[in-house]
Amino acid sequence: MTLKKMFSRAWFFATLLVFAGTALCIRLGIWQLDRLEQRRAFNAQVESMRAAELLDLNQNLPADISSMEWRAVTVTGEYDFENQVALRNQYNGDQYGYHLITPLLFDPSTGSGQAAVLVDRGWIPADPTGGNAAPERSAWRQYDEAGQVTVTGQIRLGQDKPAFGGVADAEFSPEQMRLDVWNNLNVARISEQSPYPLLPVYVQPDVDGNNSEPPIKYQPVVELTEGSHFGYALQWFAFATILFVGYPFYLRKQE
């Protein structure tokens, strides 16, 4: 009798809403479980790479380096300041500024010729005379580190897509074949304007506690937890059960 009433003319629309709500809750529960698996995979990647030995790019330049995000790395070479770029919307505390992204040219022991990798050299303040405007390229040169340098840090992947709510970078055009200031650290796209090939990763140097002068190095805080995804999944499945099982009981009460 209840089943017949569920699909009667008086209750048909309400039944459709209940079924749709149940399906939505189940889908959201599955989505949270998918996010949990992604989080576990991320945690496993970080932990396995952090347990690996320090990778010296001068001695070993692996072909699969893009699969080694978060691995400790060191490389010795010279910066190419003519081809560096800046990354906007970066903060040091509450102070707005940019990150300098500079190619480091180095010689691998393989004898395959000079290689290059981008290095996030750290935060610099915005132009003090122009509010949040980016400093002119010539002003970046005050942060040059001349000669041979050794950079130790972590391997990081670029950001192919803007973060949620972020702004994509402009496409290259015949009038503008180069961008000096970027919204996203998109290694692949930055490589397109480079005069030489770049590795498909960048190096984020270790933070120096005594470094108070720009460029100020930065390392993100990585929380290796599973978050609340499993709890949220249980909640969505509980909501689905309440809707699907409780609806027939509600109809019986109406009788």
Side-chain angles (χ1 to χ4, degrees):
M1 186 66 178
T2 303
L3 184 62
K4 183 177 180 180
K5 188 171 184 178
M6 287 173 63
F7 293 98
S8 66
R9 179 174 296 182
W11 292 95
F12 183 75
F13 183 68
T15 299
L16 286 182
L17 288 179
V18 169
F19 284 177
T22 300
L24 177 61
C25 289
I26 292 174
R27 183 66 191 89
L28 289 172
I30 294 173
W31 173 63
Q32 286 293 342
L33 291 179
D34 288 342
R35 292 194 65 190
L36 176 60
E37 288 305 310
Q38 293 170 7
R39 187 65 176 266
R40 286 172 174 170
F42 172 81
N43 292 346
Q45 165 74 10
V46 175
E47 290 172 344
S48 64
M49 288 297 102
R50 286 184 172 176
E53 63 181 9
L54 179 70
L55 177 65
D56 187 339
L57 293 184
N58 296 94
Q59 301 299 320
N60 179 19
L61 186 55
D64 60 343
I65 193 171
S66 58
S67 67
M68 297 180 178
E69 186 175 21
W70 303 106
R71 182 171 178 177
V73 65
T74 186
V75 58
T76 299
E78 291 190 11
Y79 284 122
D80 174 14
F81 301 108
E82 292 297 330
N83 288 290
Q84 67 184 341
V85 297
L87 187 66
R88 60 166 55 92
N89 297 325
Q90 305 300 312
Y91 286 85
N92 179 42
D94 59 355
Q95 190 175 0
Y96 181 84
Y98 298 78
H99 274 204
L100 278 181
I101 313 299
T102 310
L104 182 73
L105 306 178
F106 65 98
D107 294 311
S109 61
T110 57
S112 56
Q114 197 171 58
V117 62
L118 292 177
V119 176
D120 182 351
R121 294 173 56 214
W123 179 89
I124 61 171
D127 185 353
T129 64
N132 289 344
E136 294 293 332
R137 283 183 57 84
S138 58
W140 301 352
R141 300 305 299 267
Q142 65 182 296
Y143 306 114
D144 285 5
E145 300 173 62
Q148 195 171 76
V149 297
T150 297
V151 178
T152 301
Q154 294 185 98
I155 294 172
R156 296 297 310 280
L157 298 180
Q159 187 178 8
D160 296 337
K161 298 179 180 178
F164 181 76
V167 179
D169 289 290
E171 296 294 329
F172 296 130
S173 66
E175 296 78 21
Q176 185 178 21
M177 295 299 295
R178 176 183 174 83
L179 296 179
D180 290 332
V181 182
W182 292 70
N183 297 316
N184 311 285
L185 210 171
N186 190 327
V187 176
R189 287 207 58 210
I190 294 174
S191 298
E192 294 176 11
Q193 69 179 32
S194 173
Y196 39 75
L198 294 171
L199 295 186
V201 298
Y202 70 95
V203 176
Q204 194 152 44
D206 294 334
V207 173
D208 182 357
N210 298 320
N211 180 206
S212 59
E213 294 296 325
I216 299 175
K217 298 177 177 62
Y218 161 81
Q219 278 284 0
V221 177
V222 181
E223 295 185 5
L224 298 179
T225 65
E226 294 188 354
S228 304
H229 301 301
F230 186 71
Y232 289 149
L234 290 181
Q235 288 182 7
W236 286 117
F237 291 141
F239 293 153
T241 301
I242 291 171
L243 276 174
F244 191 73
V245 176
Y247 182 57
F249 284 99
Y250 174 78
L251 290 183
R252 287 179 186 175
K253 282 192 173 184
Q254 302 307 308
E255 294 174 0

